Amino acid sequence: KEDVITMERNTNRLIALVTQILDFRQTETKGFSLEFSNVNIGSLLNEAYLGFTALAKKKKIDCNISIPPAPVMAMADEEALYKIFSNLISNAVKYGNSQLHIYLNAYPKQNFFTVDVVNDGPVIPEELSEKIFEPFYPLKENTKQKGTGIGLTLSRSLATLHNGTLTFKITEDHLNCFTLRIPLMPAGMERK
């Protein structure tokens, strides 16, 4: 049974990687289009988070997620946001040592929401805070972990397609923090 579960997990990982490469290629050639719908951001973020809790537990990473009690609704592409959330959380678990914190905040008056994904992995040097979003850019600090090198590039492209941003900073207590900022309502669009 364990072998079958391992095979399924590896098959799903391969499918996800192939899909990510195809999505990356589509965003590069400007052939990727978004399908906007009314999305419950907290629910979607929590769903992505739950997909990594078993791995985090195995790595003994203390995880917590903070979602406002009132639903945060946005007109967005649900699948694209899920890919961004999954990529950021996956990286935080993969490179983290013992902490992962995820914060969702909504700013209705300013028409945007943010998701901060914070971990205590090797601190990414400030001078590389933009380089890490380039395709296939390897970090010397992360030689133990292998990746495709396109996850952050794809995530930033998908954020940009939403007229949003994906940025990196080092927190005051020297943790890595990725911040996604997306409009709640794209300009010129009314809720369906």
Side-chain angles (χ1 to χ4, degrees), residues 25-160:
R25 183 73 182 122
Q26 276 188 311
T27 58
E28 265 194 333
T29 60
K30 310 292 185 239
F32 198 95
S33 61
L34 300 179
E35 297 285 331
F36 285 90
S37 64
N38 207 11
V39 179
N40 184 326
I41 303 302
S43 177
L44 187 66
L45 180 61
N46 194 53
E47 184 183 331
Y49 165 74
L50 291 174
F52 294 95
T53 53
L55 179 59
K57 187 176 181 180
K58 185 177 176 184
K59 287 189 69 183
K60 296 181 172 63
I61 294 176
D62 180 32
C63 300
N64 65 58
I65 184 167
S66 173
I67 296 174
V72 176
M73 303 302 291
M75 289 300 289
D77 184 304
E78 187 170 354
E79 188 178 330
L81 284 184
Y82 188 83
K83 287 175 183 178
I84 298 170
F85 297 160
S86 294
N87 188 277
L88 294 176
I89 297 168
S90 171
N91 284 349
V93 171
K94 188 189 305 184
Y95 300 114
N97 292 322
S98 63
Q99 296 178 48
L100 166 60
H101 309 286
I102 303 167
Y103 307 97
L104 170 61
N105 291 294
Y107 304 92
K109 289 183 181 175
Q110 289 87 13
N111 188 39
F112 70 89
F113 71 88
T114 61
V115 174
D116 293 308
V117 179
V118 183
N119 82 356
D120 67 341
V123 175
I124 298 168
E126 205 167 335
E127 64 271 14
L128 300 180
S129 63
E130 280 303 308
K131 278 267 208 223
I132 57 174
F133 292 102
E134 292 177 9
F136 313 112
Y137 186 80
L139 277 176
K140 292 182 182 89
E141 291 79 4
N142 296 330
T143 53
K144 291 180 185 172
Q145 297 287 348
K146 297 291 182 208
T148 60
I150 60 171
L152 287 176
T153 307
L154 174 62
S155 295
R156 181 175 262 187
S157 294
L158 293 174
T160 302

